Each structure stands twice: as C-alpha cells, then as structure tokens.
Amino acid sequence: MRIGVMGTGAMAAALGGAWARAGHEVFVGGRDGAAAAALAGRIGAAGHGSPAAAAAYGEVALLAVPAGEAPALAREHAAALAGRTVVDCTNPLEPGPGGVMLSIAPGRSVAALIGAAAPGAHVVKAFNLAHSSVWERPAGAFGAVPPAVPFCADDAGAAGRVVELITGMGWSPMPAGGLDRAAYVEATAAFAIGVWWAGGSPRLAFPEALA
Ligand SMILES: NC(=O)c1ccc[n+]([C@@H]2O[C@H](COP(=O)([O-])OP(=O)(O)OC[C@H]3O[C@@H](n4cnc5c(N)ncnc54)[C@H](OP(=O)(O)O)[C@@H]3O)[C@@H](O)[C@H]2O)c1
C-alpha cells in the first residue's frame, strides 16, 4: 500500500516505521523539509517532501499532527485527500486540575471535525490509544495474543485498508463502530492516559467477563 504520512514527530516515526517494515511504501511529508528527509532515511521510507505531497501520495494518508492542527490541515489539503483513506491518530487532550482532560466538547471528536473539513476523505479513527513506543515493538513482541487496535470508520473500503495495516503490523483489528463513535475512543484515551500518568495500568481495568 502507498501511505503518505503528514508530520515528522513521534507518531509519524512509529507508525510510518512500522508500515515501512511491513513492506508498505511510505512517504514522509513535513513542513520542515530537513526533518522529513531525516525521518524518511531513519525509517526506510520510499520518499519525502511536503505535507501536500504526502496528502496526494497514496491510498492512505496519516494525520500525525497535534489534534488542534489536524482539522485545519485536512481543510488545507481537502482536494488532495478526497477519495483517500485518512487515518486520524490524534488525541485532543490538555492538562486539567485533576489530570488529563479532553480539549474538545463532550460528544465531539477530532475525527468528525476532520471529516467535515475534508468531506471527500474517508476518515478512520485508529492508533490513538497506545504510546508511540508501543508501535515500534516488533510483531510477536506481545506473545500469543496480539494487542488490539480499536478503529472507527464509516467507509467499508477505508476500514479494510486499516485492517490490512493493523494485521500487517502483527496487531489485531478491533472494529469499534462508525465515525460517530470516535468521540468514545478519544475519551478512552483521556481516561487511559490519565490513569497511566498517575502510575496505574489502564489495561488491567478490562478483564474478560465470565461467559
Ligand atoms: N506520542 C504518542 O505517544 C501518541 C500516542 C497516540 C496518539 N498521539 C497523537 O498523535 C498526534 C501526533 O503526536 P506526536 O507525538 O507525533 O507529536 P509530535 O512528536 O509533537 O509531532 C507533531 C508533528 O506535527 C507537525 N505539525 C504540527 N502542526 C502542523 C501543521 N499545521 N502542519 C503540518 N505539520 C504540523 C510537527 O511539525 P514541526 O516539527 O514542524 O512542528 C511535527 O512533525 C497527536 O495528536 C497526539 O495526540 C500521540
């Protein structure tokens, strides 16, 4: 698959690197050309250039930028993103007095804002629940049961592409409904990161129920 990565930070490196290792053609697009070139070299990307070039590169585009920037970036590149699968890994978070808070109104999601900003794009919310370092672990590092990547999508073709990306990394896809449920996945990140920063282990909160 051809994947244009928009951003050159931690998530661009982690996901772009994992997809390059899985055999996909990854293109790194950054507003800092030197950073894009350096990251492309580091992860073995097929090419590098501007965010505009990344948006126009492949079947899939990854928005790996701050949540507050993502809708405007999608709007700027809406024409190029039309018809493509746009993966949104952002988390709209901000510090609050009691811990991590959502920086978006309850019930709203960055994924939906991206969809509204680029109406022809097929937005998929995914990859926002684990720290960037986790995606850099090799396939098989988690034992017999691969961890899951919840994703929300409205378009079946886009969902299928993201399933292929997830399984190619050695993870397990977890369909979590349409884009109208992306707000729940984003709020789950606020919960989990809040627990994690407080020294807890959020995954321990979800044991299997008895059948
Ligand atoms: N880090 C994690 O563990 C993690 C885990 C899950 C989800 N996320 C989410 O993933 C997203 C990216 O996080 P990150 O950790 O990769 O952030 P990061 O390391 O700070 O990198 C952000 C990237 O976005 C670029 N950028 C910012 N505004 C831009 C704009 N208007 N146009 C083009 N590029 C722009 C930055 O470019 P410059 O360098 O030029 O500023 C930088 O390359 C965030 O929404 C975050 O909440 C992060």
Side-chain angles (χ1 to χ4, degrees):
M1 218 180 296
R2 284 163 60 93
I3 306 162
V5 173
M6 301 170 78
T8 57
M11 287 297 276
L15 291 173
W19 294 334
R21 286 195 299 280
H24 298 293
E25 279 180 57
V26 174
F27 181 99
V28 178
R31 59 184 177 180
D32 176 341
L39 179 58
R42 182 148 64 90
I43 66 174
H48 59 86
S50 64
Y57 181 72
E59 304 98 294
V60 176
L62 169 71
L63 285 173
V65 301
E69 302 284 335
L73 192 62
R75 183 173 297 108
E76 184 183 342
H77 300 292
L81 293 173
R84 301 183 203 273
T85 297
V86 174
V87 177
D88 165 30
C89 70
T90 68
N91 280 322
L93 305 178
E94 62 187 9
V100 177
M101 301 295 287
L102 283 172
S103 58
I104 194 167
R108 304 198 71 192
S109 71
V110 181
L113 293 178
I114 292 168
H122 304 305
V123 181
V124 181
K125 187 84 204 181
F127 301 105
N128 65 312
L129 288 185
H131 188 260
S132 59
S133 62
V134 176
W135 308 113
E136 293 177 350
R137 296 179 67 178
F142 301 94
V145 181
V149 181
F151 68 92
C152 299
D154 287 340
D155 181 82
R161 279 180 206 100
V162 169
V163 165
E164 193 181 330
L165 291 178
I166 293 168
T167 52
M169 297 162 71
W171 287 58
S172 164
M174 180 182 281
L179 219 53
D180 58 347
R181 299 182 70 82
Y184 304 156
V185 182
E186 294 179 8
T188 301
F191 159 73
I193 293 169
V195 171
W196 186 50
W197 281 6
S201 185
R203 70 189 180 86
L204 298 178
F206 299 101
E208 289 291 341
L210 292 175

